[in-house]
Amino acid sequence: MTIIESVKNYISKCPLLCDFKRLCVDFLSEDTETYSIEETPSETILRAYVDGSSERQFVFVFAARLFYSEEVRNNIENSGFYEEFAEWLEEQTEADNLPTLEAGKTATKIEAMSSGYLFDISGDLTNARYQIQCRLIYDQEKRS
């Protein structure tokens, strides 16, 4: 199983997502209440050890298409969703409830690297893309 697939499966179990319609990878529909996990360019290896093993990171964006309007309460709720999502990731790390990775890779931490933010608004101003940058930190054993 790829890392992005492991992260997708893991995030799909987040209780905050129960109202969402669809979880995609590298695709966010124009429909509201959909979300996507998108890999972002970053340095993969954080530390290389003399035995050939390494500490690595998988950086990704968690994006959602949410209802948007001039109503302040709605937009506060959209931002609040991401605040709660970041807290959920932190709680999961503290509880050592992390994604299951393929043999030779062990997740050690999952975290938000930014706050959630408004990224784009639809032309008709009825929905918007919000996103948060996150990362999974994992150890990888030496490859044979």
Side-chain angles (χ1 to χ4, degrees):
M1 180 182 321
T2 64
I3 293 175
I4 198 164
E5 188 175 7
S6 295
V7 169
K8 177 189 178 288
N9 292 341
Y10 178 79
I11 289 177
S12 70
K13 296 174 184 156
C14 175
L16 300 170
L17 308 182
C18 62
D19 293 335
F20 283 78
K21 296 178 185 173
R22 193 168 70 177
L23 170 61
C24 299
V25 171
D26 291 335
F27 175 79
L28 186 63
S29 167
E30 291 299 319
D31 297 333
T32 54
E33 298 182 340
T34 58
Y35 55 105
S36 178
I37 297 167
E38 302 165 0
E39 187 171 1
T40 58
S42 67
E43 186 173 333
T44 303
I45 299 173
L46 298 174
R47 281 187 195 93
Y49 301 110
V50 292
D51 68 355
S53 64
S54 56
E55 179 182 51
R56 296 175 178 236
Q57 68 178 350
F58 174 78
V59 179
F60 62 96
V61 164
F62 175 66
R65 177 92 43 206
L66 303 172
F67 290 106
Y68 177 81
S69 71
E70 63 184 38
E71 185 181 318
V72 173
R73 171 65 32 225
N74 178 77
N75 300 335
I76 287 173
E77 288 174 6
N78 289 348
S79 293
F81 167 82
Y82 278 99
E83 188 175 323
E84 291 177 24
F85 180 76
E87 288 172 6
W88 181 79
L89 291 177
E90 187 176 334
E91 290 167 2
Q92 298 311 298
T93 292
E94 288 172 3
D96 201 31
N97 180 20
L98 298 165
T100 302
L101 304 176
E102 68 184 2
K105 296 177 182 174
T106 305
T108 58
K109 184 177 193 175
I110 191 163
E111 65 183 353
M113 297 175 66
S114 71
S115 56
Y117 57 94
L118 176 66
F119 183 79
D120 185 39
I121 303 168
S122 66
D124 63 2
L125 304 178
T126 60
N127 67 59
R129 175 189 170 113
Y130 287 80
Q131 64 185 41
I132 189 169
Q133 189 168 20
C134 305
R135 72 177 175 170
L136 171 70
I137 298 176
Y138 63 98
D139 292 329
Q140 181 168 303
E141 296 173 4
K142 177 183 175 181
R143 293 187 176 177
S144 340

